[in-house]
Amino acid sequence: MSTDNSDSPDADPSESFVQDTGEEGPRIEFYGGRGMSAFPIVFFILWAIAQTAFWRISDEGGLVIGILVGLIGGMFFVRGNWKTYANTIFEGMTQPVAVTAIVAWIWAGMFAQLLQDGGFVDGLVWLAQTAGIGGALFPAATFILAAVFTTGIGTGYGASIAFVTLFFPAGLLLGANPILLFGAILSGAIFGDNLAPVSDTTIVSAVTQDSDIGGVVASRFKYVIVAAIVAFGGYLVAGQFMGGLGIGGNAQEILVAESEPIGLVHLLSMGIVIGTAVAGRHIVEAISWGIVVAAVSSLALGLLSLGDIVSFNAPADAPLSQPLEFLPILTIVDDPDAIGVGGSLIQGAAGFFELAILVLLIIAAAQIMIRGGAFEAILDWSIENLATNVRNAELTMVGSAALINAVITINTAAEVAIGPYISKIGERFNLNGYRRANILDAQTAALGYIFPWSGGVLAGYSAMQELPGEFEWFDTGMLVTPIDVVPFVFQGWLLVAVFIIAALTGFGREYIIDRESEEVARL
């Protein structure tokens, strides 16, 4: 996930989080020892598993209550004054990595909604039909397109939102399996988040392991591409056996037949976003340009009116309502329930407010765990007891990064927190910085889109929950719950597997002296 495309590691947006997760700041003492500081986050994970897996309820509001109850419960285990505990909650909620994720979601939500309302889904359906890409091939094609898009813009969260909003309904109309299609979207986001030079996870993995970004990206390509080739084959094969929903029988054929190519004009705005991001511009600037181009294109071609983009529904007795009724963005309404602000922009942003609260609270709970010492205790134990040789050290790095990603569900935040420990383990066995950075980033990029309560999955699911209100044919039974998609995020599972195999076999392993010798030979 990325919202800052700075070319300089010194400008890393996660720097303040690195400082905050160190030894600075007051520690919190708990009855029962350091392990009790993990109570809020462990309680939340158990709540999330019960809600999503056992009861099949994918409601972000319920998850918000779960983390709130966990944070309140954790207070009763604090020794002494609760003030430090309460202040740590605020400290966690103000971490830049949490805020940057929220900003990415909101901007991507507005952009994707604008494209959807401007007919981009219709254009995709028309293009797929013309090219002969049916439901069986659509997940594999979506995986490739999502991977390219994410690599260009550097934010997997933004790509998940955009592709669920645009490609998911198009795929369902063409007969693609919804679970497989959601998995393909998340897999594409993983590919780009892991490989993009402008991704925050790429930047943080390089900075925390004292490596240059260009070298890190070049060295990790072999791991990413192996997983991607197998994942692509998996989506091709699975697409042949996992059928679609058969939406409305003849109605599906009519909808597909009525699709028009005009919506494909928005490929221009997507290209603008990718090009601007690749040029090194901030992702907010890149998506903002995409929003501007999409809005202008839609207005010029009559795909949307100004009132479709932003509208004010005011009561007749409001001051200046009648005199200003001629404005295209103002509508006088008699129904009190219809009063409010609407349009593509507000609709696209509003879908992520609940998720934003959830993420802030999860980061707060993770900060409690860090300040209370549970995080340090777990990692110190693994260093002393598991990392006994270079093979076990690399397996410990993989396992530790995976564990932290289960706890800290924003992948950049997890990476920043675990980065110093990965460095400590790797340096003990003289492992090269590129190797350490690749192990670190692969786990955070992959598992940040696999766990049902992770930021990447919830961002995509939040966008999906808005679809029943956008399309008459789309009902809530077509939604894919986060727990159902877990086995089908092929790129994520394969990337983890690649590094487990690499640790066991030594594939790609480099030591510090190896890289130094190579640099000398190059000179």
Side-chain angles (χ1 to χ4, degrees), residues 39-283:
F39 176 86
I41 203 75
V42 170
F43 180 89
F44 167 71
I45 291 174
L46 293 176
W47 179 295
I49 292 173
Q51 177 183 311
T52 61
F54 298 156
W55 300 324
R56 317 295 286 183
I57 303 173
S58 298
D59 179 18
E60 288 156 9
L63 295 178
V64 169
I65 297 302
I67 191 65
L68 281 172
V69 172
L71 285 167
I72 293 170
M75 287 187 181
F76 292 94
F77 296 97
V78 175
R79 286 180 177 272
N81 196 318
W82 289 2
K83 182 178 180 180
T84 301
Y85 183 96
N87 285 337
T88 303
I89 292 176
F90 284 96
E91 178 188 350
M93 293 180 73
T94 56
Q95 297 296 344
V97 288
V99 178
T100 52
I102 293 168
V103 169
W105 294 335
I106 292 174
W107 253 256
M110 291 190 295
F111 177 60
Q113 188 67 45
L114 197 56
L115 265 60
Q116 183 189 87
D117 292 346
F120 190 56
V121 172
D122 264 2
L124 287 175
V125 173
W126 178 88
L127 181 62
Q129 281 290 98
T130 303
I133 300 174
L137 295 178
F138 199 82
T142 299
F143 167 59
I144 296 297
L145 292 172
V148 172
F149 183 74
T150 311
T151 303
I153 68 171
T155 166
Y157 291 168
S160 297
I161 293 167
F163 271 69
V164 167
T165 303
L166 303 170
F167 281 70
F168 190 80
L172 263 58
L173 277 177
L174 292 167
N177 181 275
I179 299 176
L180 191 65
L181 184 54
F182 190 25
I185 291 170
L186 295 175
S187 286
I190 291 169
F191 180 98
D193 221 355
N194 185 217
L195 193 61
V198 297
S199 168
D200 271 2
T201 59
T202 300
I203 294 170
V204 172
S205 68
V207 171
T208 58
Q209 305 309 311
D210 296 319
S211 300
D212 63 283
I213 295 172
V216 164
V217 172
S219 65
R220 76 176 41 155
F221 183 78
K222 57 181 175 289
Y223 307 112
V224 179
I225 200 64
V226 167
I229 291 172
V230 179
F232 178 71
Y235 288 118
L236 283 177
V237 174
Q240 305 300 318
F241 295 96
M242 297 176 66
L245 300 176
I247 302 167
N250 292 334
Q252 179 181 10
E253 297 178 6
I254 294 172
L255 288 168
V256 171
E258 291 179 349
S259 61
E260 298 179 351
I262 186 65
L264 293 176
V265 67
H266 294 304
L267 288 172
L268 173 62
S269 54
M270 295 188 79
I272 292 290
V273 172
I274 295 174
T276 309
V278 169
R281 301 302 225 175
H282 196 290
I283 191 60

Side-chain angles (χ1 to χ4, degrees), residues 133-435:
I133 300 174
L137 295 178
F138 199 82
T142 299
F143 167 59
I144 296 297
L145 292 172
V148 172
F149 183 74
T150 311
T151 303
I153 68 171
T155 166
Y157 291 168
S160 297
I161 293 167
F163 271 69
V164 167
T165 303
L166 303 170
F167 281 70
F168 190 80
L172 263 58
L173 277 177
L174 292 167
N177 181 275
I179 299 176
L180 191 65
L181 184 54
F182 190 25
I185 291 170
L186 295 175
S187 286
I190 291 169
F191 180 98
D193 221 355
N194 185 217
L195 193 61
V198 297
S199 168
D200 271 2
T201 59
T202 300
I203 294 170
V204 172
S205 68
V207 171
T208 58
Q209 305 309 311
D210 296 319
S211 300
D212 63 283
I213 295 172
V216 164
V217 172
S219 65
R220 76 176 41 155
F221 183 78
K222 57 181 175 289
Y223 307 112
V224 179
I225 200 64
V226 167
I229 291 172
V230 179
F232 178 71
Y235 288 118
L236 283 177
V237 174
Q240 305 300 318
F241 295 96
M242 297 176 66
L245 300 176
I247 302 167
N250 292 334
Q252 179 181 10
E253 297 178 6
I254 294 172
L255 288 168
V256 171
E258 291 179 349
S259 61
E260 298 179 351
I262 186 65
L264 293 176
V265 67
H266 294 304
L267 288 172
L268 173 62
S269 54
M270 295 188 79
I272 292 290
V273 172
I274 295 174
T276 309
V278 169
R281 301 302 225 175
H282 196 290
I283 191 60
V284 168
E285 179 183 351
I287 297 179
S288 295
W289 276 115
I291 290 172
V292 170
V293 173
V296 171
S297 301
S298 295
L299 292 172
L301 295 173
L303 297 172
L304 293 174
S305 67
L306 198 56
D308 292 326
I309 297 174
V310 59
S311 63
F312 296 87
N313 300 322
D317 58 351
L320 297 180
S321 289
Q322 299 293 344
L324 298 178
E325 190 176 1
F326 67 92
L327 294 175
I329 60 173
L330 182 63
T331 303
I332 306 301
V333 296
D334 297 323
D335 184 1
D337 294 333
I339 297 172
V341 180
S344 300
L345 297 183
I346 185 64
Q347 191 173 348
F352 301 95
F353 292 161
E354 212 170 55
L355 178 59
I357 295 171
L358 174 62
V359 166
L360 291 175
L361 292 172
I362 290 174
I363 297 296
Q367 192 74 356
I368 293 291
M369 185 177 173
I370 291 169
R371 289 286 184 238
F375 181 87
E376 182 181 10
I378 292 170
L379 295 176
D380 285 347
W381 180 86
S382 66
I383 290 174
E384 295 301 324
N385 296 278
L386 300 179
T388 54
N389 56 49
V390 67
R391 177 185 296 172
N392 289 344
E394 290 191 340
L395 290 173
T396 300
M397 291 158 71
V398 171
S400 299
L403 174 63
I404 297 308
N405 269 272
V407 173
I408 306 176
T409 60
I410 299 299
N411 52 12
T412 308
E415 198 167 87
V416 171
I418 191 70
Y421 292 89
I422 296 295
S423 179
K424 184 176 180 180
I425 296 172
E427 288 176 353
R428 173 180 290 189
F429 293 92
N430 207 33
L431 288 170
N432 179 268
Y434 292 168
R435 177 73 164 185

